[in-house]
Amino acid sequence: MMANHYKLLIKNARQVVQVCNRGERVLIGPAMRDLAVLNEDSSGGISIVISREGTIAAIDRHSKVADSFKRCSFDKEIDATGKCVLPGLIDGHTHPVWAGDRVHEFALKLAGAGYEEIHKAGGGIHFTTEKTRAATEDELLASLKERLQSMLRHGTTTAECKSGYGLDTENELKMLRVIERARKEVPVEISSTFCGAHAVPKGKTVEESTKDVLDHQLPAVLALNQSGELRVENIDVFCEKGVFNVEQTKQILEAGVKGGLAINFHGEELHCLHSAELGASLEARAISHLEKVSPEGIQSMAEAGTIAVMLPTTAYILRLDPPPVRKMIDAGVPIALGTDFNPNAYCLSMVVTIHLACVIMHMSMEEALVAATINAAASLGRADTHGSLEVGKVGDVIIADITRWEHLIYQLGCSDQLIQHVIKKGDLVYSKS
């Protein structure tokens, strides 16, 4: 029996980009270019109905929706005539909780300093850790809320958010509590990640740091998960030369899995350590970066179905050779995208990230949009409910004042002008004034 009261009616859109419409949970290879798109025709535009529970109840020609729901009422109606509707964007990799900034390091990078050189000189993660440890929870929460609101204005409705600038139990838990508090105050859905193994803190060896993560930090996180104070979903390690090696990474990731966390970690960014093969062997949900992934690593990830989270902003800002995305797509590796927002790569816009993926990683616009929606949802274990506009899925929606969806990518730096409304679970959470 049809309900008679609904949360939202989006009516008469010029174009609705569903992304996929056959229940797909991840798209790979040629399927990444085959977007499901509904266009207006002589019979009229496309309308979407979102239920009181925040899920999509109908997507169809406006005339059919108007007829089917003619005896129903709506909390709100939005006239989308002439506009384009897309799924809310999903940011698969962010570091949004930190204090201080590293604008001075940007100048050093422009002058030719490398990531490892800055890190060894006490900059990079160590600099941010010092500032973050000194900040209060309230200070960190205030800046996090501003960042999440900025993401929202650029169309992001779900984001992965890491800790990783505490590097000890007290401060890692502080960061994770800030993420938990932000869930209740900002309408961006969060997938929380424990990343205590982001760097080796000053004064510790890598062996001591690994032991601290395994014996103190991770057990404390899991205990607060068990009590319900935290809702951490993922475990992350920076597997890299001079940080955590493959064996140390394996120990930490396996301990996280034993505690109920999903593997979603940094691998093959600056050096090929064969962490892609490690991740595949552990059935990792996702691995990020992969600038230096080997052919064998690509094949292992394809066979395991491990999602590659591409971070074009990092390759762009650090002037790294971009990861071999075309080879990964051809091999059948699922590709997702993330901003990698952090003090080293300051970008909060998934739309800019999509544009950069097209230009520097040679992805098509269709592939990049898939990577920022259904595949990013899969990287966070949410593809059953998020990442496409299909009946039964969560009503996370962008309405943009454009004639076709490609303009959102094509018009670089204009997304805050083009996006008119952002909807989260059927609630209007942002409207351009």
Side-chain angles (χ1 to χ4, degrees):
M1 182 178 176
M2 181 181 289
N4 59 12
H5 192 78
Y6 293 82
K7 186 178 284 189
L8 179 64
L9 171 64
I10 302 169
K11 58 186 182 182
N12 209 40
R14 181 187 184 111
Q15 186 179 67
V16 172
V17 182
Q18 292 184 267
V19 175
C20 48
N21 61 7
R22 297 186 297 272
E24 300 97 324
R25 294 299 177 254
V26 69
L27 297 177
I28 62 173
M32 291 185 71
R33 289 176 174 262
D34 188 20
L35 281 185
V37 180
L38 298 171
N39 292 295
E40 70 175 357
D41 59 17
S42 58
S43 68
I46 311 298
S47 292
I48 301 175
V49 175
I50 300 179
S51 72
R52 300 278 288 174
E53 293 72 37
T55 57
I56 297 170
I59 305 176
D60 212 330
R61 301 286 163 191
H62 178 66
S63 57
K64 291 184 179 180
V65 169
D67 184 60
S68 298
F69 293 84
K70 61 187 174 184
R71 292 186 175 86
C72 301
S73 59
F74 301 90
D75 290 343
K76 190 171 187 63
E77 297 185 16
I78 297 176
D79 185 357
T81 300
K83 295 180 174 61
C84 182
V85 176
L86 302 93
L89 302 176
I90 298 173
D91 192 335
H93 184 122
T94 79
H95 301 257
V97 185
W98 46 269
D101 64 60
R102 294 191 343 229
V103 67
H104 58 290
E105 290 182 11
F106 184 54
L108 293 174
K109 294 187 196 85
L110 295 178
Y115 179 89
E116 293 169 285
E117 179 184 347
I118 291 170
H119 187 76
K120 287 177 181 176
I125 293 171
H126 288 146
F127 178 87
T128 303
T129 297
E130 179 184 334
K131 300 296 184 183
T132 303
R133 285 178 172 180
T136 66
E137 269 193 39
D138 287 345
E139 289 169 338
L140 292 172
L141 178 63
S143 59
L144 174 59
K145 286 166 60 178
E146 288 180 3
R147 293 162 187 165
L148 292 172
Q149 290 287 2
S150 181
M151 290 181 187
L152 195 69
R153 291 192 295 272
H154 291 279
T156 296
T157 53
T158 301
E160 185 265 3
C161 297
K162 303 178 189 296
S163 66
Y165 294 118
L167 306 184
D168 61 25
T169 303
E170 177 187 356
N171 287 289
E172 286 295 307
L173 293 181
K174 177 174 71 174
M175 293 181 70
L176 292 169
R177 281 195 298 267
V178 167
I179 291 170
E180 199 62 40
R181 289 174 65 184
R183 289 184 198 270
K184 302 169 185 175
E185 299 188 33
V186 182
V188 173
E189 185 173 338
I190 291 173
S191 177
S192 177
T193 299
F194 167 58
C195 189
H198 194 200
V200 178
K202 291 180 179 180
K204 274 191 165 63
T205 65
V206 65
E207 292 77 16
E208 290 169 338
S209 183
T210 301
K211 190 173 190 306
D212 185 56
V213 171
L214 289 170
D215 294 349
H216 301 288
Q217 294 183 41
L218 181 58
V221 170
L222 296 177
L224 292 180
N225 260 11
Q226 187 68 28
S227 71
E229 184 176 336
L230 295 178
R231 286 176 286 172
V232 178
E233 300 175 22
N234 314 296
I235 179 80
D236 191 355
V237 178
F238 187 12
C239 185
E240 184 52 74
K241 185 177 178 181
V243 193
F244 296 91
N245 66 27
V246 170
E247 180 55 36
Q248 292 155 347
T249 298
K250 182 173 185 282
Q251 291 177 39
I252 295 169
L253 294 178
E254 286 183 329
V257 170
K258 188 175 180 181
L261 305 181
I263 297 175
N264 190 329
F265 76 106
H266 293 61
E268 320 284 44
E269 180 182 359
L270 303 174
H271 302 88
C272 179
L273 303 183
H274 300 286
S275 57
E277 291 92 322
L278 167 69
S281 73
L282 297 176
E283 299 182 335
R285 182 180 282 164
I287 306 173
S288 293
H289 283 292
L290 299 164
E291 285 85 354
K292 300 297 184 181
V293 66
S294 68
E296 296 78 14
I298 292 172
Q299 188 59 38
S300 296
M301 290 180 67
E303 291 171 359
T306 297
I307 295 167
V309 183
M310 299 290 94
L311 310 172
T313 53
T314 306
Y316 171 73
I317 291 169
L318 294 183
R319 295 172 171 169
L320 302 175
D321 291 333
V325 177
R326 293 257 48 99
K327 291 181 180 178
M328 286 190 266
I329 290 174
D330 290 345
V333 177
I335 304 295
L337 286 174
T339 60
D340 195 19
F341 173 75
N342 72 83
N344 181 55
Y346 201 108
C347 176
L348 290 160
S349 171
M350 276 300 289
V351 179
V352 169
T353 299
I354 292 168
H355 180 100
L356 290 175
C358 294
V359 174
I360 70 173
M361 294 183 173
H362 305 285
M363 296 178 74
S364 71
M365 288 190 284
E366 292 84 359
E367 288 169 338
L369 184 62
V370 164
T373 52
I374 189 66
N375 284 7
S379 77
L380 302 179
R382 283 167 164 76
D384 287 345
T385 52
H386 296 63
S388 60
L389 299 181
E390 300 179 78
V391 171
K393 282 198 160 186
V394 168
D396 291 358
V397 179
I398 301 168
I399 302 175
D401 190 10
I402 48 181
T403 55
R404 49 189 289 178
W405 68 269
E406 293 95 334
H407 277 281
L408 193 61
I409 303 169
Y410 165 67
Q411 296 187 35
L412 177 62
C414 298
S415 60
D416 58 339
Q417 297 299 311
L418 302 177
I419 293 172
Q420 304 295 298
H421 304 289
V422 179
I423 293 149
K424 181 67 184 174
K425 295 184 178 178
D427 292 319
L428 184 61
V429 293
Y430 167 73
S431 285
K432 182 176 175 293
S433 56

